[in-house]
Amino acid sequence: MSDKIREFLNSVTVDAVPTDKQSVIEIDSTETIENAFAKLVDNYVLSAPVYDATARQYVGFLDMKDLVSVVVFVADRKVEDTDHIRHLLVNLTAYKYPTDGLTVTYLARRHPFSPVPAGAPLLKAVELLARRIHRVPVVDPATGRAVKILSQSAVVKYLAQHLSVAGDSIKRTVADLQLGAKNVFKVTGDVPALEAFRLMESKNVS
């Protein structure tokens, strides 16, 4: 990261980045998996923080990609009628993981809740996003509750509107920055969807 970009990110706060949602969509840790995923779908979001009201803390994020894990989990136990997702989700509570139940909390713990306080420099959020965290919650320091969710795309959109601060560093190529340099996992068109889901689950990719 160039000094100019770092200076800019340190000069503006996370509050300056607009987000698509006016309020944070949250999932209660006691909700069923069916209702939790339905909330994501109904609110057109790919991920939402899960809040444990008893412990008064967030346990992580439930991500739409977790639905892949659910499908693989059910299919491997040969549960009938896996073609109907809603039927599949409703009946999940009858099938237990060896340790914790396959619950909203279990799934959310796989995606850490790594917040920054409102008013923090945007640099703090960008540093978290650089560590493969896809969404950074901004919390009210007084209550600890999330007031907005910063996604990678929201930050990129904001930076794209302020390219002038980058100076000559913006002229660097994709190859210079080594973007897209990691291995790409792929399947052929004739591979069953379930096998593709298993690959996504095992490699933790989307």
Side-chain angles (χ1 to χ4, degrees), residues 73-80 82:
F73 173 84
V74 174
D76 285 347
R77 283 152 183 78
K78 304 186 186 305
V79 178
E80 296 180 359
T82 55

Side-chain angles (χ1 to χ4, degrees), residues 152-172:
Q152 291 176 331
S153 58
V155 173
V156 168
K157 183 177 180 180
Y158 179 77
L159 292 177
Q161 296 169 347
H162 299 81
L163 290 179
S164 60
V165 303
D168 291 339
S169 62
I170 198 63
K171 298 178 181 178
R172 297 177 67 184

Side-chain angles (χ1 to χ4, degrees), residues 33 69-82 86-104 106-107:
I33 288 180
S69 304
V70 172
V71 171
V72 171
F73 173 84
V74 174
D76 285 347
R77 283 152 183 78
K78 304 186 186 305
V79 178
E80 296 180 359
D81 200 12
T82 55
R86 188 164 291 273
H87 175 87
L88 178 155
L89 295 174
V90 167
N91 289 282
L92 273 176
T93 53
Y95 303 92
K96 298 294 184 182
Y97 244 22
T99 54
D100 198 6
L102 185 61
T103 63
V104 168
Y106 173 83
L107 294 171

